[in-house]
Amino acid sequence: MVKRKRTVLGSLAVAAALSLAPASSAFADTYWQCVPFARLLSGIQIFGDAWTWWRQAAGKYETGFQPKTGAVLCFKPTGKMKLGHVAVVNQVLTERVIQISHANWSRIDGTRGQIEKDVTVVDVSPQGDWSAVKVWYDPVRDLGGSTYPTFGFIYQDTTSRTYAASGLSAAQNTAISMAQSAASMAQSAASQMVTAARPGAGPMQMLSQAADSSDRIAALIQAATQGSKNQDNN
Protein backbone atom coordinates (compact mmCIF):
# COMPACT_ATOMS: atom_id res chain seq x y z
CA MET A 1 0.00 0.00 0.00
CA VAL A 2 1.33 3.42 -0.90
CA LYS A 3 1.55 5.70 2.08
CA ARG A 4 0.39 9.27 1.46
CA LYS A 5 2.03 12.28 3.02
CA ARG A 6 -0.95 14.26 4.29
CA THR A 7 -1.05 18.02 4.40
CA VAL A 8 -4.37 19.74 4.94
CA LEU A 9 -4.31 23.44 4.25
CA GLY A 10 -6.89 25.93 5.43
CA SER A 11 -8.39 28.36 2.94
CA LEU A 12 -6.44 31.32 4.30
CA ALA A 13 -3.13 29.46 4.12
CA VAL A 14 -3.83 28.41 0.54
CA ALA A 15 -4.74 31.96 -0.36
CA ALA A 16 -1.38 33.16 0.96
CA ALA A 17 0.53 30.34 -0.70
CA LEU A 18 -1.09 31.05 -4.05
CA SER A 19 -0.47 34.80 -3.80
CA LEU A 20 -4.13 35.72 -3.47
CA ALA A 21 -3.54 38.85 -1.42
CA PRO A 22 -5.82 41.03 -3.59
CA ALA A 23 -8.72 38.65 -2.93
CA SER A 24 -7.86 37.31 0.52
CA SER A 25 -10.74 39.05 2.28
CA ALA A 26 -13.23 37.45 -0.05
CA PHE A 27 -11.76 33.95 0.11
CA ALA A 28 -10.48 33.70 3.69
CA ASP A 29 -13.47 31.69 4.91
CA THR A 30 -14.46 30.13 1.61
CA TYR A 31 -15.89 26.61 1.46
CA TRP A 32 -13.67 25.42 -1.39
CA GLN A 33 -15.13 23.57 -4.35
CA CYS A 34 -12.90 21.49 -6.59
CA VAL A 35 -13.37 23.61 -9.73
CA PRO A 36 -12.13 27.04 -8.62
CA PHE A 37 -9.28 25.44 -6.68
CA ALA A 38 -8.14 23.31 -9.64
CA ARG A 39 -8.28 26.36 -11.91
CA LEU A 40 -6.20 28.44 -9.47
CA LEU A 41 -3.59 25.73 -8.98
CA SER A 42 -3.27 24.61 -12.61
CA GLY A 43 -3.89 27.93 -14.34
CA ILE A 44 -6.13 26.09 -16.84
CA GLN A 45 -8.87 28.55 -17.72
CA ILE A 46 -11.98 26.40 -17.92
CA PHE A 47 -15.17 27.35 -16.10
CA GLY A 48 -18.29 25.47 -15.08
CA ASP A 49 -19.04 22.12 -13.47
CA ALA A 50 -16.19 19.63 -13.27
CA TRP A 51 -17.76 17.06 -15.61
CA THR A 52 -17.87 19.66 -18.43
CA TRP A 53 -14.13 20.35 -18.36
CA TRP A 54 -13.20 17.48 -20.65
CA ARG A 55 -15.57 18.63 -23.38
CA GLN A 56 -14.57 22.25 -22.95
CA ALA A 57 -10.87 21.39 -23.20
CA ALA A 58 -11.29 20.08 -26.76
CA GLY A 59 -9.50 22.37 -29.19
CA LYS A 60 -8.24 24.58 -26.35
CA TYR A 61 -5.90 22.37 -24.35
CA GLU A 62 -4.03 19.17 -25.10
CA THR A 63 -5.59 16.13 -23.45
CA GLY A 64 -4.42 12.59 -22.92
CA PHE A 65 -4.39 9.49 -20.76
CA GLN A 66 -1.02 9.65 -19.04
CA PRO A 67 -0.34 11.84 -16.00
CA LYS A 68 1.94 14.87 -16.07
CA THR A 69 2.79 17.27 -13.28
CA GLY A 70 0.45 20.27 -13.39
CA ALA A 71 -2.21 18.48 -15.43
CA VAL A 72 -5.84 18.29 -14.32
CA LEU A 73 -7.35 14.84 -13.83
CA CYS A 74 -10.99 15.07 -14.89
CA PHE A 75 -13.42 12.64 -13.22
CA LYS A 76 -16.64 11.49 -14.85
CA PRO A 77 -19.91 12.10 -13.01
CA THR A 78 -21.23 9.20 -10.95
CA GLY A 79 -24.30 8.57 -8.82
CA LYS A 80 -22.63 9.95 -5.70
CA MET A 81 -20.65 12.60 -7.57
CA LYS A 82 -23.11 14.02 -10.05
CA LEU A 83 -21.02 17.05 -11.02
CA GLY A 84 -17.79 15.09 -11.51
CA HIS A 85 -14.52 16.20 -9.97
CA VAL A 86 -11.22 17.79 -10.98
CA ALA A 87 -7.82 17.52 -9.30
CA VAL A 88 -4.32 18.76 -10.10
CA VAL A 89 -1.36 16.39 -10.42
CA ASN A 90 1.46 17.27 -7.99
CA GLN A 91 3.85 14.54 -9.04
CA VAL A 92 4.01 11.25 -10.89
CA LEU A 93 5.40 8.52 -8.64
CA THR A 94 5.07 5.50 -10.94
CA GLU A 95 3.16 4.61 -14.09
CA ARG A 96 0.21 3.73 -11.87
CA VAL A 97 0.56 6.04 -8.88
CA ILE A 98 0.37 9.82 -8.68
CA GLN A 99 -0.16 12.46 -6.02
CA ILE A 100 -2.69 15.22 -6.47
CA SER A 101 -3.98 18.35 -4.76
CA HIS A 102 -7.73 18.87 -4.71
CA ALA A 103 -10.60 20.41 -2.77
CA ASN A 104 -13.86 19.19 -1.26
CA TRP A 105 -13.11 15.47 -1.20
CA SER A 106 -12.39 14.03 2.26
CA ARG A 107 -14.15 15.09 5.41
CA ILE A 108 -11.43 16.69 7.51
CA ASP A 109 -12.42 16.96 11.18
CA GLY A 110 -15.95 16.17 10.05
CA THR A 111 -16.26 18.95 7.48
CA ARG A 112 -16.10 19.20 3.69
CA GLY A 113 -14.92 22.05 1.47
CA GLN A 114 -11.28 21.78 2.53
CA ILE A 115 -8.08 21.43 0.55
CA GLU A 116 -5.77 18.40 0.58
CA LYS A 117 -2.24 18.22 -0.81
CA ASP A 118 -0.18 15.19 -1.87
CA VAL A 119 -3.15 12.83 -2.04
CA THR A 120 -2.39 9.38 -3.45
CA VAL A 121 -4.32 8.23 -6.53
CA VAL A 122 -3.86 4.77 -8.04
CA ASP A 123 -4.72 3.72 -11.58
CA VAL A 124 -6.80 0.53 -11.40
CA SER A 125 -7.94 0.45 -15.03
CA PRO A 126 -7.49 -2.86 -16.90
CA GLN A 127 -5.56 -1.18 -19.72
CA GLY A 128 -3.42 1.08 -17.57
CA ASP A 129 -4.89 4.19 -19.18
CA TRP A 130 -6.10 5.94 -16.00
CA SER A 131 -9.74 5.50 -16.98
CA ALA A 132 -10.51 4.14 -13.49
CA VAL A 133 -8.85 5.20 -10.25
CA LYS A 134 -8.95 4.81 -6.49
CA VAL A 135 -8.36 7.89 -4.32
CA TRP A 136 -7.03 8.19 -0.78
CA TYR A 137 -9.87 9.01 1.62
CA ASP A 138 -8.62 10.63 4.78
CA PRO A 139 -11.31 9.48 7.26
CA VAL A 140 -10.33 5.84 6.72
CA ARG A 141 -6.60 6.61 6.30
CA ASP A 142 -6.47 4.44 3.21
CA LEU A 143 -7.60 4.30 -0.39
CA GLY A 144 -11.37 4.57 -0.45
CA GLY A 145 -13.47 1.57 -1.38
CA SER A 146 -14.97 3.22 -4.48
CA THR A 147 -13.51 3.14 -7.98
CA TYR A 148 -14.00 6.34 -9.97
CA PRO A 149 -14.17 6.56 -13.77
CA THR A 150 -12.22 9.40 -15.38
CA PHE A 151 -12.08 11.11 -18.75
CA GLY A 152 -8.33 11.63 -18.64
CA PHE A 153 -5.85 14.46 -18.15
CA ILE A 154 -6.02 18.06 -19.35
CA TYR A 155 -2.51 19.41 -19.82
CA GLN A 156 -1.22 22.89 -19.11
CA ASP A 157 -0.07 25.17 -21.90
CA THR A 158 2.43 28.04 -21.59
CA THR A 159 -0.26 30.52 -20.55
CA SER A 160 -1.76 28.29 -17.89
CA ARG A 161 1.67 27.61 -16.42
CA THR A 162 2.19 31.35 -16.15
CA TYR A 163 -1.19 31.76 -14.44
CA ALA A 164 -0.39 28.91 -12.05
CA ALA A 165 2.96 30.43 -11.13
CA SER A 166 1.36 33.75 -10.21
CA GLY A 167 -1.69 32.25 -8.51
CA LEU A 168 -4.16 34.49 -10.32
CA SER A 169 -3.88 36.29 -13.64
CA ALA A 170 -4.02 40.07 -13.62
CA ALA A 171 -7.36 39.86 -15.39
CA GLN A 172 -8.82 37.67 -12.66
CA ASN A 173 -7.56 40.01 -9.96
CA THR A 174 -9.17 42.91 -11.78
CA ALA A 175 -12.47 41.06 -12.13
CA ILE A 176 -12.53 40.13 -8.45
CA SER A 177 -11.76 43.72 -7.50
CA MET A 178 -14.67 44.79 -9.70
CA ALA A 179 -16.96 42.30 -7.94
CA GLN A 180 -15.81 43.54 -4.53
CA SER A 181 -16.35 47.14 -5.55
CA ALA A 182 -19.83 46.36 -6.85
CA ALA A 183 -20.65 44.50 -3.65
CA SER A 184 -19.48 47.46 -1.58
CA MET A 185 -21.54 49.92 -3.62
CA ALA A 186 -24.61 47.72 -3.21
CA GLN A 187 -24.04 47.09 0.49
CA SER A 188 -26.90 49.25 1.67
CA ALA A 189 -29.46 47.49 -0.48
CA ALA A 190 -27.90 44.05 -0.04
CA SER A 191 -27.72 44.30 3.75
CA GLN A 192 -31.51 44.25 4.03
CA MET A 193 -31.69 41.09 1.92
CA VAL A 194 -28.78 39.51 3.81
CA THR A 195 -30.37 40.20 7.17
CA ALA A 196 -33.59 38.58 6.05
CA ALA A 197 -31.80 35.55 4.60
CA ARG A 198 -29.06 35.06 7.16
CA PRO A 199 -28.53 37.57 9.98
CA GLY A 200 -24.94 38.71 10.32
CA ALA A 201 -23.85 37.69 6.81
CA GLY A 202 -22.15 40.23 4.54
CA PRO A 203 -22.34 40.80 0.77
CA MET A 204 -19.00 39.06 0.09
CA GLN A 205 -20.13 36.04 2.10
CA MET A 206 -23.22 35.90 -0.10
CA LEU A 207 -21.01 35.93 -3.20
CA SER A 208 -18.87 33.16 -1.75
CA GLN A 209 -21.91 31.05 -0.87
CA ALA A 210 -23.39 31.57 -4.31
CA ALA A 211 -20.22 30.19 -5.90
CA ASP A 212 -20.33 26.82 -4.12
CA SER A 213 -21.76 24.35 -6.63
CA SER A 214 -22.39 26.30 -9.82
CA ASP A 215 -19.15 28.32 -9.77
CA ARG A 216 -21.00 31.59 -10.33
CA ILE A 217 -18.10 33.79 -9.29
CA ALA A 218 -15.92 31.96 -11.80
CA ALA A 219 -18.53 32.63 -14.47
CA LEU A 220 -18.54 36.29 -13.46
CA ILE A 221 -14.76 36.41 -13.78
CA GLN A 222 -14.96 34.75 -17.18
CA ALA A 223 -17.53 37.27 -18.36
CA ALA A 224 -15.45 40.17 -17.09
CA THR A 225 -12.24 38.93 -18.69
CA GLN A 226 -14.08 38.10 -21.92
CA GLY A 227 -15.45 41.61 -21.95
CA SER A 228 -11.92 42.98 -21.63
CA LYS A 229 -10.79 40.82 -24.54
CA ASN A 230 -13.69 42.01 -26.68
CA GLN A 231 -12.78 45.63 -25.93
CA ASP A 232 -9.18 44.92 -26.90
CA ASN A 233 -10.38 43.45 -30.18
CA ASN A 234 -12.60 46.44 -31.01
Side-chain angles (χ1 to χ4, degrees):
M1 179 57 62
V2 177
K3 183 178 181 180
R4 179 178 69 92
K5 292 184 292 183
R6 183 172 80 92
T7 304
V8 179
L9 302 178
S11 296
L12 186 56
V14 171
L18 297 180
S19 303
L20 293 182
S24 60
S25 62
F27 287 87
D29 297 317
T30 298
Y31 179 107
W32 282 93
Q33 293 286 358
C34 64
V35 165
F37 178 73
R39 184 169 52 250
L40 279 174
L41 199 58
S42 69
I44 292 175
Q45 297 300 288
I46 299 179
F47 298 78
D49 292 334
W51 70 272
T52 70
W53 275 44
W54 188 255
R55 171 176 50 80
Q56 291 190 66
K60 185 175 181 180
Y61 293 98
E62 182 183 354
T63 59
F65 306 101
Q66 294 302 318
K68 295 180 182 180
T69 300
V72 170
L73 177 58
C74 190
F75 291 67
K76 294 181 178 181
T78 63
K80 294 182 179 180
M81 196 169 65
K82 298 183 185 302
L83 299 180
H85 186 69
V86 282
V88 181
V89 179
N90 285 353
Q91 59 179 322
V92 179
L93 300 180
T94 73
E95 291 184 353
R96 292 268 188 156
V97 182
I98 61 175
Q99 288 187 328
I100 62 169
S101 287
H102 62 169
N104 198 26
W105 186 269
S106 297
R107 290 185 178 273
I108 308 298
D109 296 326
T111 62
R112 296 286 300 276
Q114 299 189 51
I115 290 165
E116 295 173 275
K117 185 176 181 292
D118 296 333
V119 176
T120 298
V121 178
V122 178
D123 172 29
V124 294
S125 64
Q127 305 301 321
D129 58 4
W130 289 88
S131 59
V133 300
K134 283 186 175 292
V135 182
W136 180 277
Y137 188 60
D138 197 75
V140 299
R141 306 296 296 150
D142 201 344
L143 292 175
S146 298
T147 297
Y148 298 93
T150 73
F151 291 106
F153 297 90
I154 303 171
Y155 303 120
Q156 293 174 306
D157 58 11
T158 301
T159 301
S160 60
R161 281 191 288 270
T162 299
Y163 284 176
S166 63
L168 275 180
S169 69
Q172 286 176 315
N173 280 330
T174 299
I176 290 174
S177 295
M178 290 170 58
Q180 290 175 318
S181 177
S184 178
M185 292 174 62
Q187 185 171 6
S188 178
S191 61
Q192 298 178 9
M193 180 171 59
V194 171
T195 300
R198 180 172 295 181
M204 293 312 302
Q205 286 176 291
M206 289 187 64
L207 285 175
S208 177
Q209 292 160 10
D212 281 352
S213 61
S214 59
D215 202 20
R216 290 188 181 91
I217 285 182
L220 174 64
I221 292 172
Q222 183 184 40
T225 55
Q226 186 64 45
S228 299
K229 291 178 182 177
N230 291 339
Q231 290 178 0
D232 292 340
N233 292 332
N234 290 338

